[in-house]
Amino acid sequence: MPQERHHPGEGPGDGTLAVRAGLPEPVKHEPTLPGPVFAAHFHLPGEPTGPYTYGRDENPTWTHLERAIGTLEAPGESGVETVVFASGMAAISAVLLSQLSAGDAVVLPADGYQALPLLHEQLRAYGIEVRTAPTGGDAQLDVLDGARLLWIETPSNPGLDVCDIRRLVAAAHAGGALVAVDNTLATPLGQRPLELGADFSVASDTKGMTGHGDVLLGHVSCRDPLRAAEVRRWRKIVGAIPGPMEAWLAHRSLATLQLRIDRQCATALGLALVLAEHPDVTGLRHPGLPEDPSHAIAARQMRRFGSVISFELADRARAERFLEELRLVDDATSFGGVRSSAERRGRWGGDAVAEGFIRFSVGAEDPEDLIADVLRALDAARKAVG
């Protein structure tokens, strides 16, 4: 799998960036990462100038985190601005609703995150034309003409299809459209949309970025200060702000991002290779597998292939028994955490997947233990259900 090759003179490596990103200048007797600032308002005599006036607008804890995420999104660049939100959906909504107006057209993935259809309804209610196409095969190109904004999700969730970001960006920009990339599955260590030409890099940091399953958070990063100001204004209007404790926990968690992601990605690929040989598994997808339909494109634009695998078992009963038999894996709907999780996606009813479709998020357990647990559960499910 692609890994960072760090050579002297090329700038800090991913681990160094993750550990040091967003830290303030050292002050004697002060902590290296200041604690969360709990404040609804700030002392503000005279004219209301300066960075911190009211708690819905800015907070020093957000500032440290936003600088840290910006560093990871575009290392070495000083012009990237990041805006953090209370959740990934808040970040997604902020881009769409701050950039689109009645009469505009937007192109969204037909196979994207399950909550996107809720946004389809709201966008149409505002007089915005919503077009959809699958992620695979760069199919969104076919419905791009005249659009104001192209929304890409790659790898897609939960199907793990990949599209060519550079190609789609070039076509969109040629037609005057902006491009936003949902980078949740990859994280900035796996893929850097801004470097690939996107106008916005968006993510639910609830997942891999924070990685411990205890924080809801999202962010938007972009180079254009006017676009960043529009996104930040939307956050102020709707009040979709993160709590200072959540922001501080997120920043703390970034320090282990490279360690977590490398372990999880390596184990995910190892598990995928084992599952590829298992007779009960069909429809296996992981961008790191050489035989995966998306591998060639992923290898050109991804630096790490991610920690999520998808596959199918024979039917609902087999999938549910498999999940019951797992001992080291939580049956949960999130992904990207240090504890492995898996679920039968069909239970939600919103994804176009088979009843036996499993989304499996690989954690930081010992690879041998996790693989053994999965194989044992597969065998137990076959014996129990047939």
Side-chain angles (χ1 to χ4, degrees):
M1 63 182 292
Q3 292 285 346
E4 179 190 81
R5 300 288 191 262
H6 183 214
H7 302 289
E10 292 185 349
D14 283 348
T16 303
L17 288 172
V19 168
R20 307 297 306 181
L23 297 181
E25 289 297 318
V27 176
K28 189 174 183 178
H29 305 309
E30 293 294 322
T32 54
L33 177 61
V37 174
F38 298 101
H41 56 266
F42 302 84
H43 288 296
L44 196 64
E47 293 300 314
T49 59
Y52 306 112
T53 59
Y54 184 64
R56 192 181 69 252
D57 298 340
E58 294 291 347
N59 179 289
T61 310
W62 305 349
T63 300
H64 295 314
L65 176 61
E66 289 173 342
R67 289 173 180 168
I69 294 174
T71 295
L72 297 172
E73 287 278 8
E77 294 191 33
S78 60
V80 171
E81 295 191 39
T82 296
V83 186
V84 292
F85 288 86
S87 69
M89 278 306 297
I92 291 169
S93 300
V95 173
L96 291 169
L97 296 173
S98 70
Q99 301 302 309
L100 296 169
S101 302
D104 288 338
V106 61
V107 176
L108 294 162
D111 52 347
Y113 179 49
Q114 188 189 52
L116 284 180
L118 299 176
L119 273 173
H120 296 181
E121 297 175 16
Q122 193 61 55
L123 292 169
R124 291 187 177 109
Y126 290 155
I128 296 164
E129 179 188 354
V130 176
R131 307 171 188 169
T132 62
T135 299
D138 299 341
Q140 289 172 298
L141 288 172
D142 296 334
V143 294
L144 189 56
D145 188 45
R148 165 66 178 165
L149 176 67
L150 167 64
W151 188 275
I152 296 170
E153 185 178 301
T154 181
S156 62
N157 173 28
L160 301 182
D161 268 321
V162 172
C163 59
D164 189 330
I165 296 176
R166 291 185 183 90
R167 183 186 181 200
L168 286 165
V169 165
H173 285 173
L178 298 167
V179 181
V181 177
D182 185 331
N183 202 39
T184 302
L185 271 159
T187 81
L189 266 60
Q191 183 172 264
R192 290 184 175 136
L194 299 182
E195 291 184 356
L196 298 170
D199 300 287
F200 301 94
S201 180
V202 188
S204 169
D205 301 318
T206 307
K207 314 300 194 299
M209 282 286 275
T210 55
H212 290 77
D214 54 9
V215 171
L216 286 173
L217 203 80
H219 82 267
V220 178
S221 293
C222 58
R223 287 194 180 96
D224 188 332
L226 294 178
R227 302 295 177 207
E230 291 165 349
V231 170
R232 187 171 287 106
R233 179 176 179 272
W234 184 259
R235 180 181 68 181
K236 178 177 179 176
I237 291 171
V238 300
I241 58 173
M245 189 65 190
E246 286 77 8
W248 183 84
L249 285 169
H251 198 170
R252 176 215 59 174
S253 299
L254 289 182
T256 61
L257 179 61
Q258 186 256 351
L259 298 173
R260 292 185 280 108
I261 293 296
D262 276 355
R263 174 64 168 261
Q264 292 169 249
C265 289
T267 304
L269 182 56
L271 176 59
L273 290 168
V274 170
L275 291 176
E277 303 299 324
H278 199 284
D280 295 345
V281 172
T282 60
L284 177 68
R285 296 298 305 270
H286 180 64
L289 287 171
E291 63 271 22
D292 189 273
S294 293
H295 179 71
I297 296 173
R300 292 198 298 269
Q301 67 189 22
M302 298 186 73
R303 305 168 68 246
R304 293 168 176 84
F305 292 120
S307 61
V308 178
I309 302 167
S310 68
F311 58 92
E312 294 178 20
L313 297 179
D315 51 31
R316 173 175 178 168
R318 180 78 70 89
E320 289 179 344
R321 187 56 183 260
F322 164 70
L323 293 170
E324 291 173 5
E325 293 288 344
L326 290 166
R327 296 170 182 165
L328 298 180
V329 182
D330 298 328
D331 192 338
T333 193
S334 195
F335 59 86
V338 292
R339 290 174 289 277
S340 292
S341 62
E343 69 169 335
R344 189 182 68 83
R345 285 299 294 176
R347 66 182 177 173
W348 296 102
D351 296 309
V353 295
E355 284 294 297
F357 181 96
I358 299 289
R359 184 182 69 187
F360 196 108
S361 173
V362 173
E365 298 88 357
D366 284 299
E368 299 81 4
D369 294 339
L370 184 62
I371 291 172
D373 188 41
V374 170
L375 293 177
R376 181 198 52 75
L378 285 170
D379 291 342
R382 184 195 313 117
K383 292 173 184 176
V385 179

